[in-house]
Amino acid sequence: MKYFFASDLHLGLEINGWDCHERECRFVEWLSMVERELESSEERKGALYLLGDIFDYWFEYREVVPKGFVRVLGKLAQMCDKNIEIHFFVGNHDTWCYDYFEKEMGIHVHKGIMTVELAGYSCLIGHGHELRTRRVNARFRLMQAIFNSHFVYKVYSCLVHPDLNMIFGKKWSHSNRASKQLTHIFKGESEISVEFARKKLQHTHIDYFIFGHFHTAQCYSLTSTSTLILLGQWICGTDCHYAVLDNKGCRLVKF
């Protein structure tokens, strides 16, 4: 059995000359590879885990979903039709994802981090924006409460036309990304992800912590039996990484 993990495709974001269409086609190529691997696995065991920010901005209305990304959505639907298990973890750029993926394609949608046993290993997985080991300010708590509020989502979707929402959302997302580096230099023990994992290990053993969000591809040994996997990003179209977990353990692979 095999389990595949990827994150931070940021479909819809065009920055620094990297074309979104080419990135989408490259990701579909990767999905086709995953499809072949999972179809050929023993007793069709295994699954695909998409750990957030697959879309740079996603907002579902009751009868309207964002335009575009048909190649990725079509491929995911095709995989689900073949009874391939797919899990989608909501990231900070696709927060307003509700029941479309589940009802239309049969994808399992998760909000927050989750501990699960895969291939005999205990794994704690999620997007990664939820990890907090330090005190956060009131402004951050307020923003989190707004973005996670179903009431705010319902009011906003009733009052704001989809076209205006998408224009605003894309501009906000683009400016948010433009203010940061596309890739992150891993700082070892001072990383929030490492601090979070070490605190968790004080009372619970986890074989693999697997996160997206941080835009750095890293396989970092925490103890002799516990490892942190950071998935990197697919924005640039080069140096794209994913993780694969089987009975031999979890490892990063460049695509």
Side-chain angles (χ1 to χ4, degrees):
M1 66 182 69
K2 287 186 177 181
Y3 299 89
F4 293 86
F5 304 84
S7 72
D8 294 273
L9 183 60
H10 287 272
L11 281 174
L13 176 66
E14 295 190 16
I15 192 169
N16 290 358
W18 297 107
D19 182 73
C20 182
H21 173 74
E22 292 181 7
R23 188 161 74 250
E24 182 179 11
C25 291
R26 183 176 175 81
F27 194 68
V28 169
E29 183 182 349
W30 179 76
L31 289 174
S32 297
M33 181 276 293
V34 172
E35 180 182 24
R36 291 191 297 270
E37 289 282 333
L38 293 180
E39 281 190 304
S40 62
S41 64
E42 183 181 356
E43 299 179 3
R44 296 175 66 99
K45 291 181 179 179
L48 167 63
Y49 285 81
L50 301 175
L51 299 190
D53 285 1
I54 302 302
F55 308 97
D56 196 57
Y57 183 70
W58 181 272
F59 192 100
E60 294 177 19
Y61 287 79
R62 187 170 64 178
E63 299 293 339
V64 177
V65 296
K67 177 182 177 180
F69 327 127
V70 293
R71 294 164 186 83
V72 166
L73 294 176
K75 189 63 186 179
L76 292 174
Q78 182 185 59
M79 294 171 72
C80 286
D81 288 346
K82 293 183 176 181
N83 295 319
I84 292 174
E85 185 178 329
I86 300 177
H87 296 263
F88 183 96
F89 283 71
V90 172
N92 54 306
H93 279 260
D94 38 32
T95 297
W96 284 312
C97 173
Y98 285 92
D99 61 1
Y100 176 73
F101 292 153
E102 291 180 327
K103 289 183 176 180
E104 187 69 19
M105 292 179 278
I107 294 174
H108 305 282
V109 176
H110 308 279
K111 295 192 175 184
I113 59 178
M114 179 176 74
T115 302
V116 62
E117 183 171 313
L118 302 173
Y121 297 97
S122 58
C123 303
L124 192 151
I125 57 182
H127 179 57
H129 68 296
E130 313 93 335
L131 308 185
R132 291 292 158 196
T133 58
R134 306 161 188 163
R135 181 179 297 179
V136 295
N137 59 37
R139 180 176 178 273
F140 177 84
R141 289 196 298 269
L142 176 61
M143 291 296 293
Q144 286 294 97
I146 291 173
F147 283 124
N148 293 323
S149 170
H150 190 71
F151 173 76
V152 172
Y153 157 75
K154 295 294 288 186
V155 171
Y156 188 81
S157 63
C158 289
L159 296 180
V160 182
H161 188 279
D163 287 348
L164 294 177
N165 176 23
M166 294 307 297
I167 291 171
F168 167 76
K170 287 179 179 180
K171 285 186 177 180
W172 166 80
S173 184
H174 182 86
S175 62
N176 178 269
R177 173 48 50 200
S179 66
K180 303 174 183 177
Q181 296 293 324
L182 289 181
T183 57
H184 170 69
I185 298 175
F186 187 71
K187 299 180 181 64
E189 289 296 314
S190 64
E191 289 286 339
I192 288 177
S193 54
V194 175
E195 293 179 3
F196 172 87
R198 292 214 178 278
K199 287 190 175 183
K200 188 73 174 179
L201 288 172
Q202 290 177 4
H203 53 83
T204 305
H205 175 71
I206 300 292
D207 292 305
Y208 293 103
F209 295 85
I210 307 174
F211 302 118
H213 182 60
F214 297 100
H215 289 208
T216 180
Q218 293 289 331
C219 183
Y220 187 77
S221 178
L222 298 163
T223 69
S224 60
T225 58
S226 182
T227 303
L228 170 68
I229 304 288
L230 300 180
L231 296 172
Q233 49 79 27
W234 289 63
I235 298 174
C236 298
T238 60
D239 201 30
C240 302
H241 287 81
Y242 65 95
V244 58
L245 172 67
D246 56 23
N247 58 7
K248 297 179 181 178
C250 188
R251 55 200 176 274
L252 276 175
V253 182
K254 186 175 180 179
F255 184 71

